[in-house]
Amino acid sequence: MIACTERLLVLHGVLQSSAARLALGLLGQDAEPEAAAETYVQLFRVLAAEAALQERASVGDAWQQHLLTRLLGDSNVFAAAVRQVGLARIGAGLRTAVAQDLAALGDLYHRGDAALRRRASEGAGLPWLDALQSSGLPPGTALGVRRRFHEASDWSELIGDLADHYRAAGTGLFAGYQAFLWLGAEHTPPLRGVRHPDPIALDDLIGDRRQRELIVRNTEQFLAGHPANNVLLYGDRGTGKSSTVKALLTAYGERGLRLLEVGRSKLGDFPAIVELLAEQPEHFILFVDDLSFDEQETGYKDLKAVLEGGLEVRPANVLVYATSNRRHLVMERQSD
């Protein structure tokens, strides 16, 4: 058996995938070649489907890509701790446990990879997973740390690199996407990553330069950690209000800006959204598109709580950018 991967203390979530379970089963399998070949075929199919969706340049073969992606995106107590207090303030016990887990996963990455290759050759000459690698793709923001893990023989020495990555890139969905849709607090998970956000750029927009410059300046203040304002963009349909907000992601996504679209019917979920985003290292714009309220609607009260704050204060890494065709969001009568 490769190292002690069945006794991972902190990074156990890395191996909670169908591909990992098949690979571990294959490595521990002492069965006839036909049974091993069938397990390998299942592993090949899972990794082939995953590699087809790979949009960032990576290192290693498809199995190694899978293992590294799981590690770098894993949500665990160590990732939460380094984002909150930093590596230097984490207790020795947790650091030791993570180092041991990393050593075991590194063993699985290198020696396990070689063992899987042998299994493939034993299985009637089945092709190995190198052929699944994507090529000609732009490098992702995590390519540097991937290379360091790929080249290191002892992963326990890279605990600082892993901590730096978790602090900079986040984990889980936040490590893999820049744009999100809020599905609602009743969903699990409550948000969904947007694989292909609108690629529109600020330079593509025509007209209303002054308003755009104000929004850009406000967003740059926000990303720099300085006080910034919530924003309402109002005007006629087709004047580029929504496009302006989406273009901010194209301009500042690599600097840690994230866009979370929230429907006006979900504004009451603000406490749940705050709880989810407050400890993340990125800066989030809550994007509420085409906002207005009819006479009988009371949703504006939820928006008021979002903007003015209540017992749950809005964290410094969250702003609200809304668009509307009306300056006055609540319909008014002349008698009012």
Side-chain angles (χ1 to χ4, degrees):
M1 183 64 177
I2 301 299
C4 299
T5 51
E6 73 277 9
R7 294 199 298 271
L8 296 180
L9 296 174
V10 179
L11 305 178
H12 52 88
V14 175
L15 300 182
Q16 300 302 309
S17 70
S18 57
R21 285 189 287 270
L22 287 167
L24 291 174
L26 191 60
L27 291 171
Q29 199 172 61
D30 186 17
E32 296 298 322
E34 292 79 6
E38 177 58 34
T39 303
Y40 177 76
V41 167
Q42 295 179 47
L43 174 63
F44 189 96
R45 288 171 178 167
V46 171
L47 292 177
E50 186 175 285
L53 300 176
Q54 178 76 19
E55 295 182 344
R56 296 182 179 182
S58 191
V59 294
D61 57 41
W63 160 246
Q64 291 176 322
Q65 288 179 26
H66 174 83
L67 196 61
L68 266 181
T69 298
R70 295 283 302 181
L71 172 63
L72 297 179
D74 187 48
S75 297
N76 55 69
V77 65
F78 174 70
V82 295
R83 291 201 309 271
Q84 196 165 16
V85 301
L87 180 61
R89 296 178 60 186
I90 290 178
L94 180 56
R95 290 169 64 110
T96 299
V98 173
Q100 290 176 351
D101 286 359
L102 283 174
L105 290 172
D107 196 41
L108 182 61
Y109 185 89
H110 293 296
R111 288 206 303 130
D113 179 70
L116 286 172
R117 287 174 182 268
R118 288 194 300 272
R119 281 293 197 181
S121 63
E122 293 166 2
L126 292 169
W128 181 233
L129 301 163
D130 301 75
L132 301 179
Q133 284 182 271
S134 303
S135 60
L137 295 169
T141 55
L143 186 57
V145 71
R146 285 174 181 269
R147 283 175 174 155
R148 289 193 291 278
F149 273 91
H150 182 69
E151 295 166 0
S153 57
D154 183 2
W155 279 17
S156 66
E157 298 177 353
L158 297 179
I159 187 171
D161 296 80
L162 184 62
D164 290 342
H165 170 78
Y166 283 153
R167 284 182 68 99
T171 59
L173 277 176
F174 298 113
Y177 298 90
Q178 294 184 343
F180 307 88
L181 297 176
W182 181 257
L183 304 178
E186 70 277 10
H187 291 264
T188 305
L191 75 170
R192 175 173 65 82
V194 177
R195 185 172 295 279
H196 299 291
D198 192 336
I200 191 168
L202 289 168
D203 291 341
D204 296 335
L205 302 175
I206 300 173
D208 216 347
R209 180 177 299 274
R210 180 178 175 277
Q211 178 173 255
R212 196 156 58 251
E213 289 175 349
L214 289 172
I215 293 169
V216 167
R217 190 182 314 147
N218 188 69
T219 304
E220 290 181 343
Q221 287 279 105
F222 177 49
L223 292 173
H226 302 312
N229 296 309
N230 298 304
V231 173
L232 171 66
L233 295 88
Y234 67 92
D236 295 335
R237 291 187 183 278
T239 52
K241 303 182 297 298
S242 300
S243 296
T244 298
V245 178
K246 290 185 284 188
L248 293 172
L249 184 64
T250 305
Y252 299 108
E254 293 301 319
R255 288 178 52 182
L257 184 68
R258 298 294 182 263
L259 197 62
L260 173 55
E261 185 169 359
V262 182
R264 67 177 185 178
S265 64
K266 301 294 184 181
L267 290 176
D269 288 346
F270 181 67
I273 297 173
V274 167
E275 183 178 2
L276 184 64
L277 303 183
E279 298 301 327
Q280 299 300 325
E282 300 86 2
H283 288 72
F284 293 87
I285 289 177
L286 304 186
F287 176 38
V288 186
D289 198 19
D290 196 17
L291 181 63
S292 64
F293 299 99
D294 293 330
E295 191 175 7
Q296 288 78 26
E297 289 187 277
T298 59
Y300 66 88
K301 296 180 180 179
D302 293 322
L303 179 62
K304 182 175 182 290
V306 170
L307 299 178
E308 297 182 358
L311 190 60
E312 186 81 52
V313 67
R314 176 174 57 82
N317 68 330
V318 176
L319 281 182
V320 178
Y321 282 18
T323 69
S324 177
N325 297 328
R326 305 197 308 234
R327 181 177 181 180
H328 298 282
L329 299 181
V330 181
M331 185 175 293
E332 296 177 320
R333 297 177 181 275
Q334 186 63 37
S335 60
D336 294 335

